[in-house]
Amino acid sequence: MNLRVPDRLRDVVEAGDVIALGAESLLVRHDWLGLPAVYKIRLPKPYRHPSLDERLRRLRTRREARALIRLPEIGVPTPTLYEVDLDLNLLIIEYVPGKTLKQATESSFDSDRYRELGKLVGRMHEHGFVHYDLTTSNVLVSGDNLYIIDLGLSEDSDDPEDHAVDLRVFERCLESSHPEAKEKAWKAFLRGYREEREEATDTVLRALKGLKSRVRYI
C-alpha cells in the first residue's frame, strides 16, 4: 500500500488489518497494550499546502480527541480514547465490534435505533456540542448500543442554527442513502430528539426550515 504513513507507524500498518481508507484517515486494527484497538491516522494531503495541511490535520485530531473524552461524560457513547499523538496526527481508540448504522439499515430497518440516535443527538445539542458530519456511516451499531464516531469536524455551539445544520446533514444522508426508509427513520429520529430537548426542538426545527429555504433560493 503506497501511502504517506509516518515512519514510526509503518510497523503498525504492516502488522495490523486495514479497516478503511477514507478521504480523511487511514483506520488500522491493531493491539494497544494487549487491547484490541483502532489506529486512526490522518494522512497528509498532497493537494494542500503543507503548512495548511498540517494545521488542519492537527486541529481535527485535537477536536476528535476532545470529543471522545467529553461525550461519554454527558451520556453519549463513543469508543474509548486510549492515546493521542498530535505530532503524528494519530488517535488510538477502542475497537468496537459491529457495523455502521448505514450497513445495519441496509440489512434491516429498526426505528428504535433511529429514536435512540435522536436522543443522543439531542443530548449533544443540549450540552452545546455539534457533530457537523452526522451520517449513518458515522454511527456504530454494536449489539443494542449506538456509538458516535468520526468527530474531527465537531465544535461547541449553543446556536440553534448550528444544531439545525446537524439535522439537515442527517436528513440529506437519509434522502441519499436510505430513500426507502427515510420517512420512518426521520420521524423516529425527531421523536427521540424531542424526548431529549422538549421545547428547544421547535426552535431548532424552525431554524432547519429557514436553512432549507435559504439553500433552495441561493
Side-chain angles (χ1 to χ4, degrees), residues 105 172-185:
T105 300
R172 289 293 300 273
C173 166
L174 294 179
E175 292 167 351
S176 61
S177 298
H178 312 284
E180 70 292 338
K182 189 265 181 182
E183 294 300 329
K184 293 182 291 185

Side-chain angles (χ1 to χ4, degrees), residues 115 118-119 187-197:
R115 180 182 177 186
K119 293 175 67 174
K187 183 177 180 180
F189 176 87
L190 290 182
R191 183 164 65 249
Y193 190 90
R194 186 176 292 279
E195 288 174 9
E196 193 69 29
R197 299 209 72 192

Side-chain angles (χ1 to χ4, degrees), residues 3 36 48-49 57 72 96 98 134 137 163 175 180 182 186 194 207:
L3 299 172
R48 288 196 295 233
H49 189 280
R57 289 188 295 126
V96 177
L134 189 62
S137 294
H163 300 167
E175 292 167 351
E180 70 292 338
K182 189 265 181 182
W186 182 241
R194 186 176 292 279

Side-chain angles (χ1 to χ4, degrees), residues 14 25 64 71 78 116 120 127 135 147 149 161 181 185 197 201 208:
E14 291 172 1
S25 304
E64 184 157 19
L71 287 183
T78 69
E116 178 62 21
L120 295 179
H127 286 82
T135 70
Y147 294 80
I149 61 171
E161 293 237 345
R197 299 209 72 192
T201 302
L208 174 61

Side-chain angles (χ1 to χ4, degrees), residues 119-144:
K119 293 175 67 174
L120 295 179
V121 174
R123 196 170 302 157
M124 288 163 49
H125 290 174
E126 191 67 19
H127 286 82
F129 186 94
V130 288
H131 190 291
Y132 279 139
D133 193 17
L134 189 62
T135 70
T136 53
S137 294
N138 289 339
V139 179
L140 284 179
V141 179
S142 183
D144 294 329

